[in-house]
Amino acid sequence: MNSDVFVDGVFLRGPADWWRQAVIYQIYPRSFFDSNADGLGDIKGIISKVDYISSLGVDAVWLSPFYPSQLADGGYDVDDYRDVDPKLGTLNDIDELTAALHAKGIRIFVDIVPNHSSNLHVWFQEALRSPAGSAARNRYIFRDGRGANGELPPSDLVSHFGPEGWTRVEDGQWYMHLFTREQPDFNWDNPEVHEEFLKTLKFWSDRGVDGFRVDVAHALKKQLDPLPSRTGYDLSLMKADGTDELFDRDEVHEIYKDWRQVFNQYDPPRVAVAEAWVHPNRVPAYASQSGLGQSFNFDLLVAEWSAPAFHKVIAENLKTAIETGSSSTWVMSNHDVIRHTTRLAIPGYGKSGNGFAEENDWYINHRFENSLDLQLGLERALAATLLILALPGSTYIYQGEELGLHDYVAMPDHLKQDPQWFRGEGKFKSRDGCRVPLPWDESQPAYGFSSVLPHLPQPDWFAGQSVASQENNADSVLNLYRRAIKLRRELEGAEELSWLSSDSKSFSFERPGGWVCVTNFSESVIELPAGEVLLSSKRITGEIPPNCTVWLKV
């Protein structure tokens, strides 16, 4: 499987293991481009922008959920896993998008959400109509309550989005949901659930989908006797030996071994990447070649902006990749976190060792843009992006980061939609700021995203960071991303690096083929090594300026 491949008669770049050093572009469909003037991004909108996506030079697109959904959690409450939300398009539109991307040599990932469905899913609606103990209820986790009349939840369990992890139904039973009450958890001890998802994987693979991002991949198997309890979801509360009540249980990997058998029925094999928030020693099983094959490395999302912190994360994850036979996955932003242009401007971010808590605390207490040095955040963000693009492994880019967007943290509270915000009673940051529709030009009312007001409000400063405003500026963030991704492909060699130097201010490494990456994390200049400068995140004038990454040919 080391030759170039064709899909539906179309040549696709690279060998069958193309994913190992790929650049994947994440699209949040509802906020990408609106083709029908309803204020909501849609599949035809993405199709209309395939040339733009191709101009970035990426290897694949990952679509966040586009399934029918009431949007209790941004589309991660799925009504039907084998259909498209009619507000976004049709299955034919997905087929057209897949063909259009393949024609450009770009592969496509879709999100699979196996831990829970929507409460509007046909199975859950059947469960509500069925009696306690029925086969329909056994697809989910229904239990009798405690107390004299079953009025108390079956266990003390909070959800990610509020104090309740159980919700009571009309006949008195309760169902478990680790997220919103509109997201009932599946019972993965039921073989029927397992078979249903195998059908879903085959459904999308048969339609030409090349890969899957697996949501909450570590939560499928749960201890149900006795029932689990939980007071919070910090990683420190999770056991690291495969025996946790709720997460990362050893038996979850039996599920993914069967998924791998489905993936391997295709040529080339379908690929998958796990969203698994687990202890570092537990990552290899998800990235195993007998399992999903890759697992997201989120460590840089919580790392302090310093040479020692980044060096440690990179070295540890490259070691894990060697142990698993997988490749590392590098990511700085996605739909769940504050954009790294904002995050890297937060004073002291990551120093406590609990970056997400720091990010959350900062957001709750400083919800206005002028609390940050956003120019400093952008400089660090671009340096970080060039750094991860230089590393062996695959890189995931989130829509809008190629425009240098920071979070719209000053979004009025009454316009937010994220359940993490309003169900948490303002105690948890809103993720709406990174899900704001993209600015395509300077026109009103939606900066080219739509001809009507969008589903989430956009800030005034979007005009200056739109695609159109950057397109013909050689020094723009957009064109830096394009040059970096193109050059990365030209320089690509074996999945190896050799460390050259590392101190408190900077580090450097060499990749096969004789090119070097140097990142200056400090606020002072450092020496520029001898060699031809291929690319830099800031202008170079004889020395490497603060917060800058440089690629050199030596």
Side-chain angles (χ1 to χ4, degrees):
M1 300 248 178
N2 288 318
S3 60
D4 293 328
V5 296
F6 290 77
V7 174
D8 298 331
V10 176
F11 170 76
L12 292 178
R13 291 190 291 257
D17 60 355
W18 61 272
W19 50 272
R20 297 190 65 91
Q21 298 201 75
V23 178
I24 299 97
Y25 183 70
Q26 180 190 357
I27 290 178
Y28 192 75
R30 290 170 174 82
S31 294
F32 193 69
F33 185 74
D34 172 20
S35 71
N36 61 353
D38 64 357
L40 194 66
D42 46 53
I43 305 304
K44 285 190 179 295
I46 301 171
I47 294 169
S48 72
K49 298 296 185 181
V50 165
D51 284 345
Y52 170 79
I53 297 167
S54 180
S55 78
L56 299 175
V58 298
D59 298 288
V61 161
W62 153 29
L63 298 182
S64 290
F66 50 79
Y67 311 109
S69 172
Q70 61 193 301
L71 298 183
D73 184 19
Y76 285 89
D77 48 314
V78 178
D79 298 350
D80 185 340
Y81 291 85
R82 299 198 283 270
D83 204 352
V84 178
D85 191 321
K87 296 187 291 295
L88 302 188
T90 66
L91 283 170
N92 287 338
D93 292 337
I94 289 290
D95 293 342
E96 183 181 348
L97 174 60
T98 300
L101 290 170
H102 283 173
K104 295 288 188 179
I106 302 170
R107 292 172 170 85
I108 182 170
F109 280 61
V110 299
D111 235 306
I112 291 292
V113 188
N115 179 69
H116 47 263
S117 74
S118 160
N119 63 342
L120 298 185
H121 190 282
V122 62
W123 272 8
F124 193 76
Q125 289 298 303
E126 182 184 357
L128 293 179
R129 296 191 301 268
S130 302
S134 63
R137 289 209 172 176
N138 192 42
R139 295 166 178 154
Y140 295 89
I141 303 172
F142 277 86
R143 292 294 185 272
D144 293 330
R146 297 174 296 172
N149 299 302
E151 70 277 9
L152 299 176
S155 70
D156 296 322
L157 182 70
V158 302
S159 79
H160 283 80
F161 297 143
E164 76 290 339
W166 295 93
T167 289
R168 201 175 193 189
V169 300
E170 287 187 3
D171 66 9
Q173 276 207 309
W174 301 71
Y175 66 88
M176 180 189 292
H177 52 91
L178 297 186
F179 294 87
T180 71
R181 62 175 59 92
E182 293 88 356
Q183 294 169 286
D185 281 31
F186 282 117
N187 173 20
W188 273 89
D189 290 342
N190 186 337
E192 193 176 359
V193 174
H194 189 53
E195 289 301 318
E196 183 68 9
F197 273 90
L198 293 179
K199 292 177 184 177
T200 294
L201 295 173
K202 291 175 183 176
F203 176 86
W204 291 111
S205 296
D206 289 344
R207 297 189 90 94
V209 165
D210 304 283
F212 302 90
R213 179 264 190 187
V214 184
D215 185 64
V216 199
H218 58 304
L220 276 55
K221 282 290 192 174
K222 302 172 178 69
Q223 174 187 288
L224 299 179
D225 185 19
L227 288 171
S229 297
R230 209 57 149 224
T231 58
Y233 290 97
D234 191 274
L235 186 61
S236 64
L237 300 175
M238 187 192 304
K239 295 179 182 177
D241 62 359
T243 65
D244 191 82
E245 296 173 302
L246 283 174
F247 298 111
D248 189 34
R249 295 180 65 81
D250 286 339
E251 53 263 40
V252 75
H253 300 293
E254 295 304 313
I255 296 171
Y256 298 136
K257 285 180 182 178
D258 287 348
W259 288 23
R260 173 50 54 189
Q261 291 182 19
V262 171
F263 300 154
N264 289 347
Q265 292 172 13
Y266 296 86
D267 184 17
R270 294 336 189 208
V271 299
V273 57
E275 183 208 27
W277 294 92
V278 298
H279 292 280
N281 67 301
R282 301 289 298 173
V283 171
Y286 295 90
S288 165
Q289 299 310 287
S290 63
L292 293 175
Q294 268 196 334
S295 183
F296 275 122
N297 155 29
F298 295 122
D299 296 342
L300 291 179
L301 298 180
V302 294
E304 176 190 5
W305 177 251
S306 73
F310 270 61
H311 184 279
K312 182 175 184 289
V313 167
I314 292 166
E316 289 177 349
N317 281 277
L318 290 177
K319 180 175 181 289
T320 296
I322 293 171
E323 292 172 352
T324 62
S326 183
S327 64
S328 295
T329 58
W330 308 107
V331 55
M332 291 300 300
S333 285
N334 62 36
H335 65 290
D336 277 334
V337 299
I338 289 176
R339 289 185 179 275
H340 64 293
T341 301
T342 302
R343 190 173 68 247
L344 294 176
I346 297 174
Y349 180 82
K351 286 186 177 179
S352 74
N354 192 346
F356 287 131
E358 292 172 344
E359 176 184 293
N360 190 74
D361 289 346
W362 174 85
Y363 182 95
I364 298 304
N365 294 306
H366 302 89
R367 295 201 314 277
F368 41 90
E369 273 82 18
N370 61 8
S371 66
L372 295 176
D373 183 344
L374 291 171
Q375 180 58 36
L376 174 65
L378 178 61
E379 291 176 3
R380 290 176 171 176
L382 296 180
T385 296
L386 259 60
L387 167 58
I388 64 173
L389 283 169
L391 293 169
S394 57
T395 303
Y396 286 77
I397 292 171
Y398 179 52
Q399 67 175 46
E401 70 172 80
E402 79 276 14
L403 303 178
L405 299 184
H406 54 273
D407 258 54
Y408 183 19
V409 296
M411 183 185 299
D413 291 350
H414 71 281
L415 296 177
K416 293 172 181 172
Q417 301 172 7
D418 185 5
Q420 180 169 281
W421 168 258
F422 59 82
R423 296 190 185 196
E425 299 175 339
K427 298 175 184 176
F428 304 105
K429 73 176 190 295
S430 169
R431 297 167 296 178
D432 293 311
C434 68
R435 300 176 180 183
V436 173
L438 294 187
W440 291 95
D441 58 40
E442 298 180 8
S443 64
Q444 295 293 344
Y447 302 105
F449 165 77
S450 177
S451 59
V452 299
L453 288 173
H455 68 102
L456 281 171
Q458 300 159 300
D460 294 341
W461 47 261
F462 258 27
Q465 291 183 256
S466 69
V467 173
S469 69
Q470 298 193 41
E471 190 72 57
N472 297 317
N473 178 358
D475 295 325
S476 69
V477 174
L478 173 59
N479 284 312
L480 176 63
Y481 266 74
R482 287 170 169 162
R483 289 195 300 274
I485 295 170
K486 180 176 184 291
L487 184 57
R488 168 194 168 96
R489 177 169 290 113
E490 294 171 357
L491 296 171
E492 185 176 296
E495 277 179 69
E496 303 168 0
L497 64 72
S498 300
W499 292 104
L500 299 178
S501 66
S502 179
D503 56 37
S504 62
K505 288 186 174 183
S506 67
F507 58 66
S508 63
F509 55 84
E510 183 174 355
R511 293 293 309 278
W515 65 287
V516 167
C517 175
V518 185
T519 300
N520 179 9
F521 291 82
S522 75
E523 300 303 320
S524 58
V525 299
I526 63 171
E527 182 180 354
L528 176 67
E532 175 193 358
V533 174
L534 301 175
L535 190 67
S536 63
S537 61
K538 296 170 75 171
R539 288 189 179 275
I540 300 295
T541 56
E543 296 175 303
I544 300 180
N547 303 303
C548 178
T549 292
V550 181
W551 295 0
L552 305 105
K553 187 74 172 179
V554 297

